[in-house]
Amino acid sequence: MINQLKIHQLQIETKTAFKELENVYKLLASGNKLEIARNTRSLIQRDFVTAIIFEYLKLLEESKKPSKLAFDFNDASVLVWAEIEDDDEGMETMLLVAEAKINAQFQNCGFCMSSTIVEKGDDLSIPNHYKVFIE
């Protein structure tokens, strides 16, 4: 950890540090506890959401994928929008089991996954606030 701090110091001094790294150290130096907590929460949220989505995609890796797949997140949930073929109960079950596995794995982290599964015949568009992964 000490070595990493020294590397960060050198990067900041030589102006080779990423802007985000500089901002973190400026924030820490400011002593603004509320802003430090907000920033820390944002970084933690980003890391957990990324980990949850990667784990979910790994669970889907070996099977047929839904025809459409999109993600969104809020303070405590990763939201999944999946469109499957009409009456494809096998795909629906697979998606729900993947969600259950994610929820079991990340339950102690304060995050969960919630899926919306629609069929092609429902003729629904992916909501605008979701980020499309498969379309």
Side-chain angles (χ1 to χ4, degrees):
M1 184 175 157
I2 299 298
N3 285 336
Q4 192 63 49
L5 289 171
K6 288 179 181 179
I7 290 169
H8 288 171
Q9 180 182 13
L10 181 63
Q11 288 174 326
I12 290 169
E13 288 172 353
T14 60
K15 300 194 184 314
T16 57
F18 291 108
K19 200 66 165 164
E20 185 179 41
L21 181 65
E22 285 182 40
N23 291 339
V24 166
Y25 281 99
K26 284 179 186 175
L27 184 59
L28 290 171
S30 77
N32 183 336
K33 291 179 185 177
L34 195 56
E35 192 59 27
I36 291 169
R38 187 201 60 74
N39 188 66
T40 302
R41 177 182 167 91
S42 176
L43 292 173
I44 289 169
Q45 180 183 32
R46 183 188 67 194
D47 288 346
F48 275 120
V49 167
T50 300
I52 288 169
I53 291 173
F54 280 141
E55 283 300 313
Y56 182 76
L57 292 172
K58 274 202 267 185
L59 292 171
L60 302 184
E61 194 171 62
E62 296 176 12
S63 62
K64 189 178 95 175
K65 307 286 186 285
S67 54
K68 292 183 182 178
L69 185 63
F71 299 98
D72 191 21
F73 65 93
N74 57 36
D75 286 342
S77 299
V78 173
L79 308 173
V80 177
W81 178 275
E83 181 182 275
I84 62 175
E85 297 296 326
D86 293 340
D87 302 317
D88 189 345
E89 291 180 22
M91 173 65 73
E92 183 173 1
T93 298
M94 193 253 330
L95 293 172
L96 292 173
V97 168
E99 175 187 321
K101 287 180 178 181
I102 291 298
N103 287 336
Q105 184 177 350
F106 289 93
Q107 68 176 337
N108 295 332
C109 303
F111 286 88
C112 68
M113 178 172 274
S114 178
S115 298
T116 300
I117 302 171
V118 299
E119 295 181 339
K120 277 190 177 188
D122 296 330
D123 197 31
L124 296 170
S125 298
I126 296 171
N128 292 334
H129 58 284
Y130 280 76
K131 303 293 182 235
V132 176
F133 186 76
I134 298 173
E135 186 171 44

